[in-house]
Amino acid sequence: MEGGLVNPVDEGTPQGGPLSPLLSNIVLDEFDRELERRQLRFVRYADDSHIYVRSQRAGERVMKSLTRFITAKLKLQVNEEESAMARPSERKFLGFTFTNAGIPKRLIAPQAVDRFKERVRELTNRNRGVSIEQMAEELSRYLRGWIGYFGKCEIPSVLVRLDHWLRRRLGCAIWKQWTRGSARFAELR
């Protein structure tokens, strides 16, 4: 879409389409072999990859040489805006980040927590005009999927804080539906 008008596309695959990760894996297989040949530690999912080195200087050297490899050998463009060198705790990968402790642990990235809270706010909006039962059903579906993915986090305190926050949100939604003081008194009793 350009300028609000839909135009036909003659190159590339649609964002989020099922073909994009498959093509990335086929094209970037040679990239993986090059990283293994250089004995670098890396992780890659589709076109998103993280390469781990010991120092800033090594990172600059590796980034420069790999950018040259990708553009010259694979004939691909490297997105300079999304490419960065940083500590693992400062970058997110598939919704996770890592702690800076001696033994790194998986932690839910702050952006993923923010998206979670935003979605829960939409589902528990007190002015939506849906019953608590319907709200709970929609919320339950979302939470099952979210916990299925992010439940493997190694820092459970994040999940505990989100649980407390979620319970408060639900309590506020229920309180709002008890419109009269007598109903609130009877329900609390």
Side-chain angles (χ1 to χ4, degrees):
M1 184 175 283
E2 293 176 18
L5 300 173
V6 177
N7 294 323
V9 177
D10 56 347
E11 64 182 38
T13 59
Q15 179 80 19
L19 190 58
S20 185
L22 176 66
L23 289 175
S24 293
N25 286 336
I26 292 169
V27 171
L28 294 175
D29 183 57
E30 192 171 345
F31 178 64
D32 291 346
R33 282 190 265 128
E34 178 67 18
L35 293 173
E36 289 169 354
R37 187 184 69 73
R38 295 181 185 196
Q39 297 180 342
L40 293 169
R41 294 181 181 186
F42 70 98
V43 61
R44 184 176 67 77
Y45 182 81
D47 65 342
D48 191 6
S49 46
H50 284 209
I51 302 162
Y52 301 102
V53 295
R54 293 199 182 271
S55 68
Q56 178 81 18
R57 203 165 126 205
E60 291 168 2
R61 189 180 70 248
V62 167
M63 188 170 193
K64 193 175 191 180
S65 68
L66 287 177
T67 301
R68 201 170 36 248
F69 174 81
I70 290 170
T71 54
K73 182 89 169 160
L74 300 179
K75 309 283 190 253
L76 297 172
Q77 276 186 325
V78 176
N79 187 343
E80 300 291 333
E81 292 155 7
E82 289 189 21
S83 301
M85 281 185 307
R87 297 198 154 292
S89 60
E90 297 169 8
R91 302 287 294 170
K92 72 178 184 70
F93 185 70
L94 302 176
F96 289 96
T97 188
F98 298 96
T99 62
N100 255 345
I103 298 172
K105 293 186 177 183
R106 273 186 319 274
L107 176 67
I108 301 171
Q111 299 92 329
V113 172
D114 292 343
R115 280 194 309 272
F116 170 81
K117 285 184 170 184
E118 186 58 38
R119 181 68 179 133
V120 168
R121 281 185 189 105
E122 289 172 12
L123 292 172
T124 60
N125 186 345
R126 294 173 285 190
N127 298 322
R128 270 182 68 201
V130 297
S131 69
I132 287 294
E133 290 79 15
Q134 183 180 348
M135 186 184 295
E137 177 60 35
E138 292 171 2
L139 190 59
S140 175
R141 269 185 299 207
Y142 177 70
L143 290 176
R144 275 194 302 268
W146 198 85
I147 287 296
Y149 185 80
F150 288 106
K152 304 286 187 239
C153 154
E154 295 177 320
I155 310 288
S157 61
V158 175
L159 298 174
V160 170
R161 282 195 308 270
L162 287 175
D163 180 55
H164 292 305
W165 178 83
L166 179 62
R167 288 174 187 275
R168 189 183 59 75
R169 289 284 306 175
L170 283 174
C172 290
I174 291 169
W175 185 258
K176 173 81 172 182
Q177 288 197 351
W178 297 336
T179 55
R180 295 184 326 269
S182 57
R184 287 178 177 172
F185 178 76
E187 291 293 342
L188 286 174
R189 203 164 137 215

